[in-house]
Amino acid sequence: MPVIVAIDGPGGSGKSTVARAVAQRLGYTYIDTGAMYRSVAHWAMELGMDLEDMHRMEQLARETHIEFVEGRVLRNGVDVSTEIRQPVVSDAASKIAAYPGVRRAMREEQRRIGAAGPAVMEGRDIGTVVFPEARVKVFLDASAEIRAQRRAAELGAPVEQVAKDLAGRDTRDRTRAEAPLMQAPDAEYVDTSGLSATDVEEAVLKIVRKRTSN
Ligand code: DC
């Protein structure tokens, strides 16, 4: 199996920033699995579908083909990079991500990508469910306040509202029955609260070197 660097953690913990940087440093493919769930949710909303309809959501997930091209997210050839970052899509993604059928479709796609070559894959269940055999596993975390501040700065939105949205999504992602957000027993825990992006990148690269050196 090619080397997989699995990075899991809650929203605002710094996963995307570090995963992208580490992938670039190592020459690995960068896979943002949250963007995959977001793309399905965004498509469902665009089509006016009922998000509560588990079976339709699974069907749509199976028809969804995601490509990551030069930092853009293409859903069935359409660039949805900007639209999928809207808070309403974050919430919808977290909702449909609780459906076992949707997760199954995404998991199959993620495993297919991972089998094709070395990758840095970030999400909620990469080290626990998608690639439990991954050589490198990192669990990124940060205090709720810091995570909300980071996300608010990204979105240019009031921190109180962002904090509330993040907390709701966190609870849903951590308490769902299927593949909830949790640290794999063999993952390295990194608290990014007081760290710069460069510090986190160095910390993760150190873990990669340690785990791949023998
Ligand atoms: O990482 P993100 O915030 O872009 O992810 C959006 C939502 O997608 C998140 O709230 C839960 C879901 N998700 C998931 O369930 N499993 C993953 N591996 C990645 C994301």
Side-chain angles (χ1 to χ4, degrees):
M1 186 177 111
V3 175
I4 299 287
V5 177
I7 303 182
D8 290 306
S13 57
K15 295 188 304 290
S16 298
T17 308
V18 72
R20 198 179 294 116
V22 166
Q24 196 171 18
R25 289 274 294 268
L26 298 171
Y28 290 9
T29 302
Y30 163 57
I31 304 296
D32 171 0
T33 65
M36 299 173 72
Y37 287 95
R38 286 172 181 271
S39 296
V40 177
H42 174 253
W43 200 11
M45 291 166 80
E46 202 174 67
L47 296 172
M49 287 169 74
D50 177 8
L51 294 176
E52 307 285 322
D53 188 337
M54 240 198 257
H55 298 290
R56 295 293 314 275
M57 291 304 114
E58 174 176 358
Q59 230 172 30
L60 195 67
R62 295 210 166 273
E63 288 166 22
T64 304
H65 181 64
I66 309 291
E67 288 167 285
F68 297 93
V69 183
E70 291 167 4
R72 310 299 296 176
V73 182
L74 305 187
R75 185 255 298 146
N76 299 39
V78 181
D79 186 343
V80 291
S81 320
T82 309
E83 295 87 329
I84 60 169
R85 298 295 154 198
Q86 301 170 75
V88 62
V89 179
S90 309
D91 187 57
S94 168
K95 273 187 188 145
I96 63 150
Y99 301 153
V102 170
R103 302 207 68 82
R104 206 176 309 123
M106 296 289 105
R107 194 165 61 229
E108 284 168 15
E109 186 71 0
Q110 289 152 9
R111 287 187 179 151
R112 196 184 53 72
I113 298 168
V120 179
M121 201 174 280
E122 54 124 327
R124 303 288 186 287
D125 63 336
I126 310 306
T128 49
V129 175
V130 183
F131 287 108
E133 265 102 63
R135 190 107 48 96
V136 187
K137 295 185 189 179
V138 180
F139 192 87
L140 286 192
D141 207 354
S143 71
E145 294 75 26
I146 297 274
R147 294 192 291 109
Q149 280 167 19
R150 285 178 185 158
R151 196 42 64 84
E154 262 166 40
L155 294 167
V159 71
E160 296 76 21
Q161 184 58 47
V162 173
K164 204 162 145 256
D165 291 352
L166 256 187
R169 203 146 66 84
D170 265 9
T171 304
R172 200 189 288 135
D173 295 343
R174 287 181 197 272
T175 56
R176 66 180 175 228
E178 183 91 2
L181 166 64
M182 63 162 128
Q183 184 181 346
D186 54 346
E188 304 250 2
Y189 182 87
V190 179
D191 184 343
T192 69
S193 300
L195 303 180
S196 70
T198 317
D199 292 341
V200 182
E201 184 184 328
E202 289 309 323
V204 172
L205 282 169
K206 209 164 135 188
I207 296 168
V208 174
R209 283 193 288 272
K210 187 173 85 184
R211 294 275 183 109
T212 54
S213 65
N214 44 30

